[in-house]
Amino acid sequence: MKKNLITKAGILCLVSSLSLLMLSSTAVAGANTDKASKAARKKVPGASITEVETDIDDGEAVVEISLIKKNKKYSLKYRQSDNKLIEYEWELPNTSYSIQSKKNVSLSGIKKKARKLVKGSKIISARLSVDDGLSEYKVSLKKGKRQYKLVYNAKNGKLLEYEWKQLASSSQSVYIGESKARNIALKKAPGASITKFEFDRDDETAVYEVELRKGIYEYEIKINAVTGAVIEFEKDIED
């Protein structure tokens, strides 16, 4: 009987301790989201917060804040440990369907705009793409410990998206560059022509994604942007 009482008392103590720990964790998480929300409002004055989420990003706890100001959408990410802003993004809707028949502005002009906006940066990739029937230029840049992504309207040169993110420590190595990545892809698919080239991040790993075509065959190659290793290779017959 005494042994049962001791066991029950121990269980009650354990349950109480776990409950207190959960309440404490909830309180800390709540305080962190409040701090991040306050910082986001200060960063984007006059904007309304539409969503607040906590998540784990590259092993670190983060708070993601979504805001809107007129027709401009913002997304900010704060590290919970020190409330530091590690990602910042805004975007405008592209509604330029009526001018799609116009000639595109030059890619060199877009690159000039990008370098002027992010002074001292290095362009990693710049390409023309079509998104939902609208022509856009997508430019990736790197400056120090930040990676930038800019999206411009290809018809009038208007900036539609602006994003930067803090690079993880393991990703601060020097990239091999677009020219070398193209050569690696062409050696992997001899005689093919590159139809699409893009710098991206895959699970926090910097990569070059290359699409090629040769006759009826289509290739998709993913290259580690730091080491130059081919980490994915696909060859398909064109549908």
Side-chain angles (χ1 to χ4, degrees), residues 88-118:
Y88 172 85
E89 177 186 4
W90 61 256
E91 63 176 296
L92 289 166
N94 189 355
T95 56
S96 59
Y97 291 97
S98 61
I99 61 171
Q100 288 307 297
S101 59
K102 288 180 61 177
K103 185 179 178 181
N104 292 336
V105 298
S106 68
L107 179 58
S108 59
I110 291 297
K111 286 182 176 180
K112 188 176 180 180
K113 280 175 174 282
R115 289 192 189 98
K116 187 176 180 180
L117 182 61
V118 188

Side-chain angles (χ1 to χ4, degrees), residues 22-225:
M22 289 173 67
L23 287 170
S24 176
S25 299
T26 303
V28 171
N32 287 335
T33 55
D34 288 344
K35 283 182 182 179
S37 298
K38 186 177 179 180
R41 288 192 183 95
K42 188 175 180 180
K43 182 72 176 176
V44 192
S48 301
I49 291 177
T50 57
E51 190 174 12
V52 179
E53 288 186 334
T54 56
D55 200 359
I56 301 296
D57 186 2
D58 197 26
E60 289 187 308
V62 296
V63 181
E64 298 175 350
I65 313 284
S66 299
L67 309 95
I68 189 166
K69 185 177 181 180
K70 295 183 178 179
N71 64 335
K72 206 170 188 178
K73 294 180 180 178
Y74 295 82
S75 178
L76 283 67
K77 187 181 290 185
Y78 291 87
R79 193 164 54 203
Q80 283 196 30
S81 59
D82 56 5
N83 204 44
K84 182 179 179 180
L85 181 63
I86 57 173
E87 284 188 30
Y88 172 85
E89 177 186 4
W90 61 256
E91 63 176 296
L92 289 166
N94 189 355
T95 56
S96 59
Y97 291 97
S98 61
I99 61 171
Q100 288 307 297
S101 59
K102 288 180 61 177
K103 185 179 178 181
N104 292 336
V105 298
S106 68
L107 179 58
S108 59
I110 291 297
K111 286 182 176 180
K112 188 176 180 180
K113 280 175 174 282
R115 289 192 189 98
K116 187 176 180 180
L117 182 61
V118 188
K119 291 182 173 63
S121 63
K122 178 183 177 182
I123 292 180
I124 299 167
S125 69
R127 67 181 182 87
L128 178 67
S129 69
V130 178
D131 188 1
D132 195 24
L134 300 168
S135 298
E136 298 175 346
Y137 282 115
K138 295 184 178 180
V139 187
S140 294
L141 310 96
K142 184 176 181 290
K143 180 183 179 182
K145 297 179 181 180
R146 285 185 181 180
Q147 177 189 324
Y148 293 80
K149 177 186 173 184
L150 310 177
V151 178
Y152 291 88
N153 187 319
K155 301 301 178 180
N156 57 21
K158 182 179 179 180
L159 184 62
L160 299 171
E161 292 182 35
Y162 173 90
E163 176 189 352
W164 65 257
K165 62 172 63 177
Q166 200 77 14
L167 293 170
S169 298
S170 59
S171 303
Q172 292 172 8
S173 304
V174 178
Y175 299 132
I176 61 172
E178 180 175 339
S179 178
K180 191 171 182 179
R182 284 176 176 269
N183 288 335
I184 291 170
L186 290 169
K187 284 181 181 179
K188 193 70 178 174
S193 300
I194 294 174
T195 57
K196 182 178 177 182
F197 183 93
E198 187 173 17
F199 177 86
D200 204 353
R201 302 194 73 79
D202 186 1
D203 291 332
E204 296 306 312
T205 299
V207 296
Y208 292 105
E209 296 180 347
V210 192
E211 294 182 8
L212 309 94
R213 179 174 294 175
K214 180 184 178 182
I216 62 170
Y217 296 105
E218 291 181 332
Y219 301 83
E220 289 187 13
I221 301 173
K222 190 176 289 185
I223 301 166
N224 187 303

